[in-house]
Amino acid sequence: MYTIIPGKSSKKAVLKKLTRFYSVSRAQLLKPTIGNKFEYFTKNILILGFLLVLTILVFLLVNTYYPITQSSTIGIEKLNGWNNRDILFDMIKFGILTILIVATGLDLISFVLFSYQPQGFLLCCILSQIIILCLYILVNIFTYIIIKHLSIADMLKGSFHFGFGIKLAFILKVMMTITSTVLLVNVSNAITSVRSDYQLQQDWSKEGKLLTVNSVSSFFQTNEKQAEKIMSNWFKTIAKNKGVYYVDSEISTAKAILPEKATIHNPTAKYAMMTVNRNFINAKLPRVKKYLDSSSHFFLVPIKYRRADSQIRYLLQCYRYNDLASKQQEKLKPEQVKIKIKYYDEKISPITYNVRLKKRFVNPIIEVMEESRITDGQSLFLSNTDKNSPIKIENNQQTKRVLEKSVQNAQVKQLGLKFVTVSEILTTSLDSSYRGLQALLVGLIAIFIINLFTTTFLMLYIISSKQKKLAVERLLGYRKVDRYQIEILLISYLGISEILVLVYLKATIISLLLAALLVLIDLLVFDLVVRLIETRDLSFLLKGGLA
């Protein structure tokens, strides 16, 4: 995600930088692909809200099943003249008493264990506990409805109104499947991110010792032009030392470089481009340093492009033109930009120092950056930080002393420059990916537990609603697979649907294995529930004993 903070740069300059960064045309960049919306809830609030809804649904599930299991007691109480409210209170009084005792105990313990309580702490505790109590009583309205509908006639007929419980359990089961699918997709993406960051860290372990700019102060937001000027002058000063490099690598398309109305023979042609200073060429590209001279506006181009010299010249003129300030662009056309091209036939593979790209380019087009003539575009890029910073500095005692001395300057101090190694940046990124994956796995485990809980109650509802039929089929010798064919197909269908969605979205093999494991455990829980129920005597089940 990128955030654009308005500064004093012109709109044209910002668009120019973005088109180059993303390697797309200006028209494509400005074309809206999604709508705008305002969000008043954060992601964390939405997740907490969703978990709260799931908790309430599970609680409803339990509360719906519990009075049915107590139907005999309810029937006896009704025969003895109890009204529905008395029966409800008798059933929930233990829960209310438990909430009150636990709440009071927690309040007392907090005063004993913690010598300091923030202002309003006790009030918040009491209010939250009252809300929990109110929710408990509110959810038990469904228990009251079931008690009200459980008549003595229903008991005699063996009709216990399982329909609502079955529907609720099924809806919750579908919600759990959808939620676990979404989480598994995110887990898959997180695993891919962790793998990518880990591989990146391993690939850059050697080159990662170089220092780069990790962060800057808010001075860049409040005084953008002045900050860029100070930054350019600071870099010009420290670049007099051999171990200070400017490296900006990108893959650009012809369409992104050339003007909108330009006739392009192959608009999708891609070019590996690097803008580097002479220090970098002398230290990292010794094979081509012989081509360097005192010329400015200098490009080193692979020999393969010599056949289309006029085209490549115009392309590089436009590339250079895009880096100029808006006022300079108004005074000349791209073809009037002065550049010098030298073709090289040596095979080189410089390190890109751009973690968004592959580690090395093979024979790229190289623009030689001159610290004494820093362009507007290069000045903008000097302000980049973290992985996108073009500044790379050898991590040795000499350069450290140079840095320490340079940042003591009063103007440079305003920039608030912070330096870290590339390895440290990549390690931070990897740690962040690990934490994200861990959070998703915790969420997946929580949803999985609720899912198993839902499966258990769904099976209890279904089996209880047709226990006499199942007992007769068992007596007649029907196999378990035949007796519970619909239930097995239901669980299997939901699980297979989840796996197919993950396959369609190209999830990682680990996510697919996790999904298959969830389905397998779901079926095992179902089998366990059936086994526990069928340990009862057939005569007990034929009489409707579960209810």
Side-chain angles (χ1 to χ4, degrees), residues 258 271 273 299 301-302 305-319 339 341 343 365:
L258 297 174
Y271 298 90
M273 313 283 291
F299 284 89
V301 180
Y305 292 116
R306 177 174 274 176
R307 290 172 297 180
D309 180 76
S310 59
Q311 292 179 18
I312 201 69
R313 179 172 292 275
Y314 180 61
L315 181 80
L316 296 180
Q317 283 177 319
C318 291
Y319 185 81
I339 63 169
I341 296 176
Y343 292 97
I365 295 173

Short mmCIF file of all heavy atoms in Angstrom, two decimals, residues 258 271 273 299 301-302 305-319 339 341 343 365:
data_model
loop_
_atom_site.label_atom_id
_atom_site.label_comp_id
_atom_site.label_asym_id
_atom_site.label_seq_id
_atom_site.Cartn_x
_atom_site.Cartn_y
_atom_site.Cartn_z
N LEU A 258 8.03 6.89 -23.41
CA LEU A 258 7.78 7.82 -24.52
C LEU A 258 6.53 8.67 -24.28
O LEU A 258 5.66 8.29 -23.50
CB LEU A 258 7.62 7.01 -25.81
CG LEU A 258 8.86 6.22 -26.25
CD1 LEU A 258 8.53 5.35 -27.45
CD2 LEU A 258 10.02 7.15 -26.58
N TYR A 271 12.65 -2.69 -20.99
CA TYR A 271 14.07 -2.35 -20.92
C TYR A 271 14.53 -2.37 -19.47
O TYR A 271 13.90 -1.75 -18.60
CB TYR A 271 14.32 -0.96 -21.52
CG TYR A 271 13.95 -0.86 -22.98
CD1 TYR A 271 12.66 -0.47 -23.36
CD2 TYR A 271 14.86 -1.16 -23.97
CE1 TYR A 271 12.31 -0.38 -24.69
CE2 TYR A 271 14.53 -1.07 -25.33
CZ TYR A 271 13.24 -0.68 -25.67
OH TYR A 271 12.89 -0.61 -26.99
N MET A 273 16.67 -0.91 -16.90
CA MET A 273 17.32 0.41 -16.78
C MET A 273 17.95 0.55 -15.41
O MET A 273 17.37 0.16 -14.39
CB MET A 273 16.30 1.53 -16.98
CG MET A 273 15.39 1.38 -18.18
SD MET A 273 16.17 1.80 -19.74
CE MET A 273 16.39 3.56 -19.58
N PHE A 299 25.05 7.70 -21.24
CA PHE A 299 24.39 6.39 -21.15
C PHE A 299 25.33 5.32 -21.67
O PHE A 299 25.99 5.50 -22.71
CB PHE A 299 23.11 6.36 -21.99
CG PHE A 299 21.96 7.09 -21.37
CD1 PHE A 299 21.76 8.44 -21.61
CD2 PHE A 299 21.06 6.43 -20.55
CE1 PHE A 299 20.70 9.13 -21.05
CE2 PHE A 299 19.99 7.09 -19.98
CZ PHE A 299 19.81 8.45 -20.23
N VAL A 301 25.08 1.63 -23.17
CA VAL A 301 24.01 0.83 -23.77
C VAL A 301 24.60 -0.45 -24.34
O VAL A 301 25.66 -0.42 -24.98
CB VAL A 301 23.30 1.63 -24.89
CG1 VAL A 301 22.18 0.81 -25.51
CG2 VAL A 301 22.75 2.94 -24.34
N PRO A 302 23.94 -1.61 -24.12
CA PRO A 302 24.42 -2.88 -24.69
C PRO A 302 24.53 -2.81 -26.21
O PRO A 302 23.72 -2.14 -26.87
CB PRO A 302 23.35 -3.90 -24.25
CG PRO A 302 22.68 -3.28 -23.08
CD PRO A 302 22.72 -1.81 -23.30
N TYR A 305 21.63 -3.04 -29.08
CA TYR A 305 20.71 -1.96 -29.46
C TYR A 305 21.28 -1.04 -30.54
O TYR A 305 20.60 -0.12 -30.99
CB TYR A 305 20.35 -1.11 -28.22
CG TYR A 305 19.50 -1.85 -27.20
CD1 TYR A 305 20.01 -2.11 -25.93
CD2 TYR A 305 18.22 -2.29 -27.50
CE1 TYR A 305 19.25 -2.77 -24.97
CE2 TYR A 305 17.45 -2.96 -26.56
CZ TYR A 305 17.98 -3.20 -25.29
OH TYR A 305 17.22 -3.87 -24.36
N ARG A 306 22.52 -1.27 -30.96
CA ARG A 306 23.15 -0.38 -31.93
C ARG A 306 22.41 -0.42 -33.27
O ARG A 306 22.37 0.59 -33.99
CB ARG A 306 24.62 -0.76 -32.11
CG ARG A 306 25.34 0.07 -33.17
CD ARG A 306 26.81 -0.24 -33.21
NE ARG A 306 27.55 0.55 -32.23
CZ ARG A 306 28.86 0.40 -32.01
NH1 ARG A 306 29.55 -0.52 -32.66
NH2 ARG A 306 29.46 1.15 -31.11
N ARG A 307 21.80 -1.55 -33.60
CA ARG A 307 21.08 -1.68 -34.88
C ARG A 307 19.92 -0.69 -34.97
O ARG A 307 19.52 -0.31 -36.05
CB ARG A 307 20.56 -3.11 -35.04
CG ARG A 307 21.66 -4.14 -35.28
CD ARG A 307 21.10 -5.54 -35.24
NE ARG A 307 20.54 -5.86 -33.92
CZ ARG A 307 19.98 -7.03 -33.63
NH1 ARG A 307 19.88 -7.97 -34.54
NH2 ARG A 307 19.51 -7.23 -32.41
N ALA A 308 19.36 -0.32 -33.82
CA ALA A 308 18.25 0.64 -33.80
C ALA A 308 18.69 1.89 -33.06
O ALA A 308 18.06 2.34 -32.11
CB ALA A 308 17.03 0.01 -33.13
N ASP A 309 19.82 2.45 -33.52
CA ASP A 309 20.44 3.57 -32.82
C ASP A 309 19.50 4.77 -32.67
O ASP A 309 19.40 5.37 -31.60
CB ASP A 309 21.71 3.99 -33.56
CG ASP A 309 22.40 5.16 -32.86
OD1 ASP A 309 23.04 4.92 -31.81
OD2 ASP A 309 22.27 6.31 -33.33
N SER A 310 18.80 5.13 -33.74
CA SER A 310 17.93 6.31 -33.69
C SER A 310 16.77 6.11 -32.72
O SER A 310 16.39 7.03 -31.99
CB SER A 310 17.40 6.63 -35.10
OG SER A 310 16.66 5.51 -35.60
N GLN A 311 16.22 4.89 -32.72
CA GLN A 311 15.09 4.60 -31.82
C GLN A 311 15.54 4.61 -30.35
O GLN A 311 14.87 5.19 -29.49
CB GLN A 311 14.47 3.25 -32.17
CG GLN A 311 13.76 3.22 -33.51
CD GLN A 311 13.18 1.85 -33.81
OE1 GLN A 311 13.00 1.02 -32.92
NE2 GLN A 311 12.89 1.59 -35.08
N ILE A 312 16.66 3.98 -30.08
CA ILE A 312 17.13 3.90 -28.69
C ILE A 312 17.58 5.28 -28.21
O ILE A 312 17.40 5.64 -27.04
CB ILE A 312 18.28 2.86 -28.55
CG1 ILE A 312 18.39 2.41 -27.08
CG2 ILE A 312 19.60 3.39 -29.03
CD1 ILE A 312 17.25 1.58 -26.61
N ARG A 313 18.11 6.10 -29.14
CA ARG A 313 18.52 7.46 -28.76
C ARG A 313 17.30 8.27 -28.35
O ARG A 313 17.32 8.97 -27.33
CB ARG A 313 19.26 8.13 -29.93
CG ARG A 313 19.71 9.56 -29.63
CD ARG A 313 20.59 10.08 -30.74
NE ARG A 313 21.86 9.37 -30.77
CZ ARG A 313 22.92 9.68 -30.03
NH1 ARG A 313 22.84 10.69 -29.15
NH2 ARG A 313 24.03 8.99 -30.12
N TYR A 314 16.24 8.20 -29.16
CA TYR A 314 15.02 8.95 -28.84
C TYR A 314 14.40 8.45 -27.53
O TYR A 314 13.93 9.24 -26.71
CB TYR A 314 14.01 8.83 -29.98
CG TYR A 314 12.73 9.60 -29.72
CD1 TYR A 314 12.74 10.98 -29.54
CD2 TYR A 314 11.52 8.92 -29.63
CE1 TYR A 314 11.57 11.67 -29.28
CE2 TYR A 314 10.34 9.61 -29.37
CZ TYR A 314 10.38 10.99 -29.20
OH TYR A 314 9.22 11.68 -28.94
N LEU A 315 14.45 7.13 -27.33
CA LEU A 315 13.90 6.55 -26.10
C LEU A 315 14.65 7.09 -24.88
O LEU A 315 14.02 7.47 -23.88
CB LEU A 315 14.03 5.01 -26.15
CG LEU A 315 13.48 4.27 -24.93
CD1 LEU A 315 11.97 4.13 -25.04
CD2 LEU A 315 14.12 2.89 -24.80
N LEU A 316 15.97 7.16 -24.97
CA LEU A 316 16.77 7.64 -23.83
C LEU A 316 16.66 9.16 -23.66
O LEU A 316 16.77 9.66 -22.53
CB LEU A 316 18.23 7.22 -24.01
CG LEU A 316 18.48 5.70 -23.99
CD1 LEU A 316 19.94 5.37 -24.18
CD2 LEU A 316 17.96 5.07 -22.69
N GLN A 317 16.44 9.86 -24.75
CA GLN A 317 16.17 11.30 -24.64
C GLN A 317 14.88 11.54 -23.86
O GLN A 317 14.81 12.42 -23.00
CB GLN A 317 16.09 11.94 -26.03
CG GLN A 317 17.44 12.15 -26.68
CD GLN A 317 17.31 12.71 -28.09
OE1 GLN A 317 16.44 12.29 -28.86
NE2 GLN A 317 18.18 13.66 -28.43
N CYS A 318 13.86 10.72 -24.15
CA CYS A 318 12.58 10.82 -23.43
C CYS A 318 12.76 10.41 -21.97
O CYS A 318 12.16 11.01 -21.06
CB CYS A 318 11.53 9.94 -24.09
SG CYS A 318 11.01 10.52 -25.71
N TYR A 319 13.59 9.41 -21.74
CA TYR A 319 13.86 8.94 -20.37
C TYR A 319 14.51 10.05 -19.56
O TYR A 319 14.14 10.30 -18.41
CB TYR A 319 14.77 7.71 -20.44
CG TYR A 319 15.04 7.03 -19.12
CD1 TYR A 319 14.11 6.14 -18.58
CD2 TYR A 319 16.21 7.28 -18.41
CE1 TYR A 319 14.36 5.51 -17.36
CE2 TYR A 319 16.47 6.65 -17.20
CZ TYR A 319 15.54 5.77 -16.68
OH TYR A 319 15.77 5.16 -15.47
N ILE A 339 22.17 14.04 -25.01
CA ILE A 339 22.69 12.85 -24.33
C ILE A 339 23.87 12.30 -25.13
O ILE A 339 24.03 12.60 -26.31
CB ILE A 339 21.61 11.74 -24.18
CG1 ILE A 339 21.14 11.25 -25.55
CG2 ILE A 339 20.44 12.19 -23.33
CD1 ILE A 339 20.30 9.99 -25.49
N ILE A 341 25.76 8.54 -25.92
CA ILE A 341 25.62 7.08 -25.82
C ILE A 341 26.93 6.40 -26.17
O ILE A 341 27.57 6.73 -27.17
CB ILE A 341 24.50 6.55 -26.74
CG1 ILE A 341 23.14 7.10 -26.31
CG2 ILE A 341 24.46 5.02 -26.74
CD1 ILE A 341 22.00 6.71 -27.23
N TYR A 343 28.25 2.39 -26.57
CA TYR A 343 27.82 0.99 -26.60
C TYR A 343 28.93 0.10 -26.04
O TYR A 343 30.12 0.29 -26.36
CB TYR A 343 27.50 0.57 -28.04
CG TYR A 343 26.26 1.26 -28.59
CD1 TYR A 343 26.37 2.40 -29.38
CD2 TYR A 343 25.00 0.76 -28.30
CE1 TYR A 343 25.24 3.03 -29.88
CE2 TYR A 343 23.85 1.39 -28.79
CZ TYR A 343 23.99 2.52 -29.57
OH TYR A 343 22.86 3.15 -30.06
N ILE A 365 20.66 -1.13 -19.63
CA ILE A 365 21.00 0.23 -20.08
C ILE A 365 21.35 1.03 -18.82
O ILE A 365 20.57 1.06 -17.87
CB ILE A 365 19.82 0.88 -20.82
CG1 ILE A 365 19.52 0.10 -22.11
CG2 ILE A 365 20.11 2.34 -21.12
CD1 ILE A 365 18.27 0.56 -22.82
#
